[in-house]
Amino acid sequence: MNKFVILLVVAVFSGNIFAENSSDLYKKGAELASSGNFPEAKKIFERTIELSPYFSLAHYGLGKIYLYDGNDIETAIKELKTAVQLDNSFSKAHFYLGMAYMLDRKYVPAMKSFAAAYDRDSSYVEALYNIAVIYDLIGDSVKSAVYFDKYKRKLKEEQINFTEF
């Protein structure tokens, strides 16, 4: 029993044994990214993944860092794909995966990701707009117009609902 108490005291007073947890690290990384400090945020997200490889938010954060950097879209796609595989209901991850695919000119997977984002959270009207843009890019003006109309209608609905309060 005394050995257990000694180990517990050593663990508590050594400081860093319990200091790092994935949620706190992710929050710190997100704050750094929001302030524009992408290199430090990247390090934090990588450390978070080391601690918790199945933590979807960490992969999402790292994927967005790579996406914003723009120099390694393939890694952005890899990380964002991992985020949606770990949490398929994570609409933001689907949306940014769509952005990464779109930047990489992988239009079919981009449309699927945008559709998944919108299906999971209908407030992601930007997903409809991006699908319209992709259809325009590939020369399908009819489908582009359909999605652009859906986008405009959804925006109008949101404005009406917003003004009701």
Side-chain angles (χ1 to χ4, degrees), residues 20-149:
E20 287 187 320
N21 83 45
S22 302
S23 295
D24 289 342
L25 280 174
Y26 172 77
K27 288 176 189 173
K28 183 177 178 183
E31 288 171 8
L32 288 166
S34 293
S35 70
N37 190 345
F38 298 135
E40 286 303 311
K42 180 182 172 191
K43 289 177 190 174
I44 297 293
F45 292 137
E46 288 171 340
R47 176 68 184 137
T48 307
I49 292 168
E50 285 176 21
L51 287 175
S52 299
Y54 301 107
F55 188 40
S56 64
L57 280 173
H59 290 281
Y60 165 75
L62 187 57
K64 280 183 65 178
I65 292 293
Y66 279 105
L67 182 62
Y68 288 152
D69 179 25
N71 292 324
D72 193 353
I73 297 299
E74 287 301 318
T75 302
I77 290 170
K78 176 186 160 282
E79 292 299 331
L80 291 162
K81 261 176 92 169
T82 300
V84 299
Q85 288 168 346
L86 292 171
D87 182 358
N88 195 33
S89 67
F90 193 4
S91 56
K92 288 181 182 180
H94 282 284
F95 182 83
Y96 284 100
L97 178 57
M99 293 298 294
Y101 279 134
M102 191 172 170
L103 288 172
D104 205 29
R105 294 186 172 97
K106 294 179 179 173
Y107 297 131
V108 171
M111 286 190 289
K112 288 180 180 178
S113 293
F114 288 133
Y118 185 75
D119 288 345
R120 284 151 183 81
D121 182 353
S122 63
S123 70
Y124 262 96
V125 294
E126 298 87 355
L128 298 173
Y129 180 83
N130 288 341
I131 292 170
V133 168
I134 292 170
Y135 275 122
D136 188 53
L137 288 170
I138 62 175
D140 192 334
S141 59
V142 172
K143 286 185 181 174
S144 178
V146 167
Y147 275 92
F148 190 65
D149 285 343

Side-chain angles (χ1 to χ4, degrees), residues 1-9:
M1 191 64 152
N2 282 342
K3 289 180 184 179
F4 175 73
V5 172
I6 292 170
L7 286 175
L8 184 60
V9 169

